[in-house]
Amino acid sequence: MDTSRLTIERATYGADCIGHTEEGKTVFVAGAIPGDVVEARPTDDGRSFSRAVAERILEPSPSRVEAPCPLVDVCGGCPWGHMAYGAQLEAKRANVMDALTRIGHMDAARAERLVAPCIAPAEPWGYRNKVELAFAHRNGRALMGMHDRAGTDVVKVSACPLLQGDSAKLAKAVSGAVSYLANSHRLSFERIGIRSSARTREVEVALWTEPGPFPRAQVAKVVHEGTGATSVVRVLTKGSAKARRIVGVERLWGKGSWGELVGEERMRVSAPSFFQVNTRGAERLMDLVLAGLSPREDDAAMDLYAGAGTFTLPLARRVGWVNAVESYGPAIRDLRRNLEGAHLGNVDAVGGDVGREFPDTDADVIVVDPPRAGLAADVVAKLSSQPARAIAYVSCDPATLARDLGRFERAGAFVPRSVTPVDLFPQTFHVETVTILGRTRGRRSA
């Protein structure tokens, strides 16, 4: 396929950026940033758009920078690693506004007023408390590292500059220990998770495997001694890649969970549970949620999709009662443990689907932090029937956020008052947002 000269115009909510051919056809280009002029090789020529990869940078963008990682062009972890950080923040705000107008059908001028500048809560490198290593066998030997940009191969790494502080070289230490075990005991792993805290100094290595014979004592000894981990666990999974389920967690060494300090809260999180990979970013989300809700001592609150308690704990310290709902088994167990550790008895932590376990009482303030799929239509309807004065919607996907805000507006009870992007994932296109919804004028809370 012939190459062509393209000017890259803007970023998308994805790893690729957009350019147009002389005929006006949209081209999604991998390996380029806005402002680059590239020689692009087509990889897929569709009817309405094409895809291509930048073979050569003919004229670098004013926003193009050298990344501190030599693998940025091949590793899939930092697709925006060559983009100046200020340009990343502007692109993320633009992506949120684009979703609100294109998917949420919001007037562009209104979106411009609603969406605040993207907040940078931490340094653009060295911010992550977690990375996951891919595992493969190559020529009969174990290979560990990061997924490549295409997601089809594994890139060996000696350090990951996304990991915070002194943890950057943990990837090499973990890879060495686990590779030795895999080669000497003929072991295979689904993946290996590393969590590290610069505040508590705790490190957890989580080995994801299928059930079966496993040299637990040897694995615990080698991984602990090779990495200094305070916790080594084995997460047992079954099923196909698309329907993988967790069937157990075994503590092999140490505490059996990972501890982090978030604001004033000390939290413990088990390996399968979700926790924000950017601790300072999680604190910023917490601050925005609390500022937007202005909770009072006599308030009743809801925290839906509560996870391990990032919002539940600080909310419980400020209100009279919290109804918390979380569907994922390991997370609801972590939430209950964290509430017990914080000596908070004013929370009813319920395990189950939010739609089925939606609290049957009224709330004054509500937090929702759903997964990437966003809110189900029936949950939006139930929230819209609440007398609450404000809802804080924490989203990790601008597209589903835009869809759900449209549903809220059609229901007629709540409208967005502010949308604040927060950059929890520098060097990537991902962005978190905190949207504060208030009651529609003329509708009062009970």
Side-chain angles (χ1 to χ4, degrees):
M1 302 176 76
D2 294 335
T3 60
S4 60
R5 180 186 176 100
L6 291 175
T7 298
I8 307 303
E9 300 159 16
R10 63 181 178 87
T12 65
Y13 191 73
D16 299 343
C17 292
I18 285 179
H20 287 88
T21 64
E22 291 181 356
E23 296 75 25
K25 189 175 185 180
T26 299
V27 185
F28 291 88
V29 184
I33 68 169
D36 280 341
V37 178
V38 304
E39 186 178 90
R41 175 177 54 83
T43 56
D44 183 21
D45 191 15
R47 300 181 73 179
S48 58
F49 64 88
S50 298
R51 295 190 180 279
V53 61
E55 293 279 84
R56 191 158 60 101
I57 307 298
L58 302 175
E59 298 176 22
S61 166
S63 298
R64 178 169 282 273
V65 297
E66 281 296 318
C69 179
L71 301 175
V72 70
D73 293 318
V74 292
C75 177
C78 304
W80 283 11
H82 280 305
M83 194 186 306
Y85 192 48
Q88 292 186 35
L89 296 176
E90 292 174 2
K92 293 185 181 192
R93 179 176 186 263
N95 282 340
V96 173
M97 291 191 295
D98 176 68
L100 293 179
T101 55
R102 182 172 48 84
I103 299 171
H105 307 293
M106 185 180 291
D107 178 79
R110 183 183 175 209
E112 177 70 37
R113 292 192 302 270
L114 274 178
V115 181
C118 188
I119 292 173
E123 294 299 318
W125 295 90
Y127 65 87
R128 289 185 69 101
N129 56 47
K130 179 184 179 182
V131 295
E132 287 195 341
L133 301 178
F135 178 90
H137 282 104
R138 182 180 291 169
N139 299 324
R141 303 291 292 176
L143 174 66
M144 290 181 57
M146 303 295 185
H147 288 290
D148 69 353
R149 285 204 165 187
T152 57
D153 202 357
V154 176
V155 179
K156 190 174 181 179
V157 298
S158 59
C160 178
L162 291 180
L163 267 172
Q164 57 189 0
D166 299 332
S167 302
K169 295 183 179 179
L170 267 175
K172 182 178 181 180
V174 172
S175 294
V178 176
S179 295
Y180 165 76
L181 290 164
N183 291 326
S184 60
H185 292 274
R186 297 183 180 179
L187 300 177
S188 186
F189 300 89
E190 179 187 335
R191 64 183 187 270
I192 296 89
I194 305 171
R195 274 180 169 148
S196 172
S197 170
R199 300 176 178 186
T200 65
R201 314 306 296 178
E202 292 194 28
V203 173
E204 180 170 80
V205 176
L207 310 169
W208 294 66
T209 77
E210 292 185 347
F214 195 76
R216 293 171 180 81
Q218 178 71 2
V219 169
K221 181 176 186 295
V222 170
V223 174
H224 167 66
E225 291 181 355
T227 67
T230 56
S231 174
V232 182
V233 299
R234 180 190 182 199
V235 182
L236 304 172
T237 63
K238 281 185 177 181
S240 65
K242 292 184 178 180
R244 189 81 67 187
R245 68 185 189 279
I246 294 170
V247 296
V249 179
E250 297 178 346
R251 182 180 67 85
L252 304 180
W253 178 277
K255 299 181 178 181
S257 62
W258 177 73
E260 180 62 301
L261 180 64
V262 188
E264 299 176 354
E265 307 298 342
R266 290 189 173 273
M267 300 180 64
R268 299 213 67 81
V269 183
S270 58
S273 289
F274 170 80
F275 186 79
Q276 293 288 3
V277 301
N278 187 327
T279 300
R280 288 177 62 186
E283 291 173 335
R284 197 69 181 97
L285 296 179
M286 186 189 303
D287 292 342
L288 288 166
V289 165
L290 294 175
L293 295 181
S294 298
R296 305 165 187 165
E297 289 184 5
D298 59 348
D299 277 345
M302 288 184 194
D303 185 8
L304 308 181
Y305 314 91
T310 301
F311 301 112
T312 312
L313 271 66
L315 200 56
R317 296 190 189 279
R318 292 163 174 80
V319 302
W321 185 258
V322 181
N323 284 299
V325 184
E326 169 56 47
S327 65
Y328 191 46
I332 191 68
R333 290 190 287 273
D334 288 342
L335 172 59
R336 290 168 177 159
R337 174 175 57 186
N338 288 328
L339 289 168
E340 183 178 356
H343 306 291
L344 291 168
N346 61 334
V347 178
D348 183 19
V350 176
D353 176 77
V354 167
R356 291 193 296 269
E357 301 295 339
F358 196 95
D360 58 5
T361 57
D362 292 340
D364 300 293
V365 292
I366 301 172
V367 182
V368 294
D369 184 8
R372 196 168 300 280
L375 301 172
D378 66 314
V379 173
V380 173
K382 290 175 181 178
L383 288 165
S384 296
S385 68
Q386 278 286 315
R389 64 178 181 270
I391 298 173
Y393 185 160
V394 182
S395 169
C396 61
D397 189 288
T400 54
L401 170 68
R403 179 202 66 197
D404 292 344
L405 293 185
R407 289 172 171 172
F408 273 113
E409 295 212 23
R410 288 191 293 275
F414 292 94
V415 293
R417 302 297 187 199
S418 65
V419 180
T420 306
V422 185
D423 190 16
L424 266 67
F425 317 99
Q427 317 311 324
T428 79
F429 57 88
H430 296 289
V431 64
E432 204 87 359
T433 57
V434 176
T435 299
I436 303 300
L437 296 105
R439 299 201 70 82
T440 307
R441 287 185 176 86
R443 307 254 325 236
R444 295 185 178 179
S445 59

